Amino acid sequence: MQASNNLWRFRGVTPTAMLAFVYLYLPIVVLVVLSFNANRIATLWTGFSFDWYLKVMDNDNILRATKNSLIIACGATVLATSFATMAALAMAGRRFRGQAFINAMLGLPLLVPEIVTAVASLLFFLALGLDLGLMTVLIAHTVFCIPFAYLPIRARLEGLDPRLAEAAADLYAGPFATFRRVTLPLILPGVLSGAMLAFIVSLDDFVITFFVAGAGATTLPVYIFGLIRMGITPEVNAVSALMLLVSIAFVALSYWMGQRKS
Amino acid sequence: MSLDPQRRLRRKLLLAPTTLTLLLFMVLPMLLMAWMSVLAPDTYGGVRWHEWSLDAYVQFLYERDLDDSLTLNSDYLQIFGRSFLLAGFATVVTLLIGFPTALYIALKEEKTRQRLILLISIPFWTNLLVRTYAWMLLLRNGGLIDSSLSALGLSQGALDVLYTPTAVAIGFVYSFLPFMVLPIYTSLEKMDWRLVEAAFDLGANRWQALRRVILPLAMPGIVAGCLLVFIPAIGSYYIPELLGGGKSLMIGNLIQNQFGTARNWPFGAALSFMLLALVLLAMGVYTRRFQRPPGE
């Protein structure tokens, strides 16, 4: 479109953009390549090997941390997505008093620096006398996952024709039947995309988990952080590469769901 | 058509889980944290609930000598200053790289644009800790950058970049670049490009069109991007920890220390509260400046 016109070529824009893309992907590519390195010294390439992945799969601590991560991510996703769907439905109707306040509150987990949320949650749990563990992590994750689930659902609802729900009501569908048979199928791509973002955000979180996890609820990022602090090894490369690939797969999938028009 | 009570009740029930969760586990903890920052610390961690004390804030600026007199201590101020400097530097550099990148994407065809935006969002959503670790592989002595530079004869001896503020800055720019590109792209995408054409028709050159038309219209995106880079950077904990070693302590690391080794909860809470206040102040200025309803 515009690019065909010579006037639209700003000097330096194309090389800068190319540089930005290389910059963004260079570390990812290097990490994945090195995770297949046969050498014990993690950054010296000597040949292809799958060994480190096998070692990772055989490591009980990693498996336990992965299990914790999955339990928490699944729990937080279900809770955050159902809460967010309900809230989005309520917020979509006509304006009401207190709506601005709820909107501001929904923005808080995105706005407040992670370390502040982490500290505040830690102090709160300790003041309540709760034991730090899977439960406290699940609560904290649900809180910061709500906005991530909410935004795509809200966007989807905004594009919806309100006459569809009205038509269902005219045909004597109750509120629940209308939701199940009309609204939900229409917003499903948004709900799924929101759920996937919540899942990936929970799976990837480090800072908040690090503070509220206690000893028994180590998740994969917290475990990886411990490994990294001890040094660079081929096992860390392999487990990091796995983590990265899972995230990329989820983002691509979520993007694809969001793009689908009904 | 007014809302009947039944519908109003339904709306309340729908909102209840989210509102209660956020009030109880987000708003209340923040208030508790602010409160704890003005309590006295207990000797073995924790706080004395009934003892008010401004010590945490005094400790930020002063050191208590043996004879109980206060002397000015700039250690913590220096850490705040360093955090500001590094986060500000990251903001400026991501803007210098991010704006041209967003412009490049915005000027492409629709299909290409979507693909390029996906390429920008993938690192945005992938594990930051793991991506930070990848930079350790690149930056360490004997790592990829070090060995290729010496193979090309461009450097003598070890590079010694890892565990310096430079490494932290590289990590920041890398990690937060998508946070800058995405909002700028959003505002450029919504822009009416005919305005730029009009500027060209009226004899503006490219530089003038960029400065007088495109930049002002992209301003909301630019400011949003700056906040999205600055806020996570200033509170960042593990990027300085992993790439900076012990030498580039930032606010985030200082806060963590208060709950880890130092066991001084009120001081940790006070530091967190000051960080939060800074961020809210920045947000307030942004909202006032850029979110006014049109016509005001």
Side-chain angles (χ1 to χ4, degrees):
Chain A
M1 171 189 66
Q2 293 105 348
S4 54
N5 188 337
N6 238 341
L7 269 176
W8 290 97
R9 299 226 171 93
F10 295 100
R11 200 180 304 144
V13 162
T14 310
T16 311
M18 293 301 140
L19 190 86
F21 283 110
V22 172
Y23 186 43
L24 283 176
Y25 282 90
L26 180 73
I28 297 179
V29 172
V30 168
L31 175 65
V32 174
V33 169
L34 283 179
S35 70
F36 292 107
N37 188 3
N39 200 316
R40 176 81 241 176
I41 300 164
T43 50
L44 206 69
W45 181 264
T46 47
F48 183 88
S49 149
F50 210 71
D51 286 359
W52 307 116
Y53 284 92
L54 296 175
K55 280 228 166 72
V56 164
M57 300 296 180
D58 215 32
N59 181 327
D60 284 341
N61 290 325
I62 291 182
L63 293 181
R64 207 173 308 126
T66 308
K67 200 177 122 203
N68 282 340
S69 276
L70 289 176
I71 292 173
I72 290 160
C74 289
T77 302
V78 171
L79 288 173
T81 311
S82 25
F83 290 5
T85 309
M86 291 163 75
L89 285 171
M91 298 288 271
R94 52 175 60 205
R95 302 179 135 269
F96 57 93
R97 232 163 44 129
Q99 197 168 22
F101 174 72
I102 296 175
N103 254 329
M105 219 161 51
L106 278 163
L108 266 187
L110 300 176
L111 173 71
V112 175
E114 247 191 319
I115 191 123
V116 177
T117 311
V119 167
S121 308
L122 172 73
L123 292 174
F124 184 69
F125 291 140
L126 292 174
L128 286 183
L130 290 176
D131 284 330
L132 299 181
L134 280 183
M135 198 59 206
T136 47
V137 179
L138 179 66
I139 293 172
H141 279 220
T142 305
V143 170
F144 70 68
C145 282
I146 286 177
F148 287 99
Y150 175 80
L151 292 173
I153 303 173
R154 188 69 226 274
R156 190 82 195 175
L157 265 171
E158 231 140 59
L160 214 62
D161 190 341
R163 283 173 303 184
L164 292 169
E166 282 165 25
D170 284 346
L171 295 168
Y172 296 103
F176 188 71
T178 309
F179 172 72
R180 206 172 61 88
R181 307 289 290 270
V182 180
T183 316
L184 184 61
L186 287 170
I187 61 168
L188 200 60
V191 174
L192 288 176
S193 157
M196 254 180 267
L197 292 183
F199 186 81
I200 206 70
V201 167
S202 164
L203 204 64
D204 279 351
D205 177 76
F206 166 72
V207 174
I208 294 173
T209 319
F210 185 60
F211 274 78
V212 301
T218 302
T219 62
L220 200 49
V222 175
Y223 185 75
I224 292 177
F225 180 74
L227 286 182
I228 296 175
R229 272 226 280 218
M230 282 191 286
I232 290 168
T233 64
E235 287 95 339
V236 186
N237 291 358
V239 69
S240 303
L242 280 176
M243 190 97 203
L244 215 55
L245 295 179
V246 170
S247 309
I248 292 175
F250 262 89
V251 182
L253 205 62
S254 153
Y255 174 83
W256 179 72
M257 306 286 283
Q259 289 286 299
R260 263 180 40 188
K261 306 268 188 287
S262 57
Chain B
M1 193 178 75
S2 76
L3 281 180
D4 52 289
Q6 207 193 339
R7 276 175 100 178
R8 214 172 296 176
L9 177 71
R10 200 187 312 143
R11 187 171 61 203
K12 276 197 186 122
L13 287 176
L14 283 173
L15 280 172
T18 296
T19 327
L20 290 180
T21 309
L22 289 177
L23 270 180
L24 188 60
F25 295 110
M26 190 77 204
V27 178
L28 205 59
M30 298 279 170
L31 296 175
L32 179 78
M33 181 187 78
W35 182 34
M36 275 196 175
S37 73
V38 291
L39 291 176
D42 205 56
T43 328
Y44 303 104
V47 291
R48 295 195 186 136
W49 287 99
H50 300 292
E51 206 176 310
W52 296 94
S53 161
L54 283 176
D55 266 10
Y57 293 92
V58 175
Q59 189 185 348
F60 183 71
L61 289 177
Y62 298 96
E63 202 164 21
R64 209 177 280 279
D65 280 344
L66 290 172
D67 57 355
D68 240 16
S69 64
L70 296 173
T71 47
L72 207 61
N73 172 11
S74 65
D75 286 2
Y76 300 124
L77 267 182
Q78 268 176 27
I79 293 179
F80 265 63
R82 182 188 301 137
S83 306
F84 259 93
L85 217 65
L86 271 169
F89 177 79
T91 311
V92 172
V93 177
T94 47
L95 181 61
L96 289 177
I97 305 174
F99 183 79
T101 308
L103 187 63
Y104 171 82
I105 301 174
L107 286 171
K108 288 280 169 201
E109 307 271 333
E110 169 83 18
K111 262 225 144 65
T112 324
R113 266 191 331 213
Q114 282 183 3
R115 276 190 207 126
L116 291 175
I117 281 301
L118 178 65
L119 272 185
I120 296 279
S121 349
I122 285 177
F124 177 83
W125 288 109
T126 47
N127 196 304
L128 200 55
L129 179 65
V130 167
R131 289 191 290 135
T132 306
Y133 170 68
W135 273 104
M136 293 176 74
L137 293 177
L138 282 170
L139 291 176
R140 71 199 295 229
N141 290 337
L144 193 75
I145 293 179
D146 187 31
S147 50
S148 24
L149 281 182
S150 50
L152 291 169
L154 291 172
S155 72
Q156 279 121 22
L159 199 57
D160 283 326
V161 167
L162 191 60
Y163 308 130
T164 64
T166 314
V168 179
I170 293 175
F172 276 171
V173 171
Y174 169 74
S175 307
F176 303 126
L177 185 58
F179 292 60
M180 185 62 89
V181 176
L182 293 172
I184 296 181
Y185 169 76
T186 309
S187 62
L188 285 178
E189 192 204 16
K190 281 189 302 211
M191 206 171 94
D192 186 348
W193 289 93
R194 284 174 305 182
L195 292 170
V196 190
E197 307 235 336
F200 286 147
D201 286 345
L202 292 169
N205 61 30
R206 277 171 246 187
W207 169 243
Q208 284 165 330
L210 185 70
R211 204 171 62 85
R212 309 278 292 265
V213 182
I214 301 180
L215 265 182
L217 286 171
M219 216 25 125
I222 291 175
V223 178
C226 288
L227 283 173
L228 285 175
V229 172
F230 189 77
I231 291 175
I234 197 165
S236 169
Y237 164 62
Y238 54 86
I239 297 175
E241 186 86 13
L242 295 177
L243 297 179
K247 280 174 278 179
S248 328
L249 222 60
M250 288 186 52
I251 304 177
N253 312 81
L254 185 60
I255 293 175
Q256 206 279 325
N257 286 346
Q258 297 313 310
F259 291 93
T261 45
R263 301 196 69 79
N264 188 344
W265 291 14
F267 191 46
L271 292 168
S272 313
F273 185 64
M274 284 189 268
L275 176 60
L276 180 66
L278 282 174
V279 167
L280 290 182
L281 194 75
M283 270 317 288
V285 172
Y286 167 72
T287 322
R288 270 180 160 254
R289 175 78 177 71
F290 287 100
Q291 309 233 303
R292 264 185 216 159
E296 204 177 283

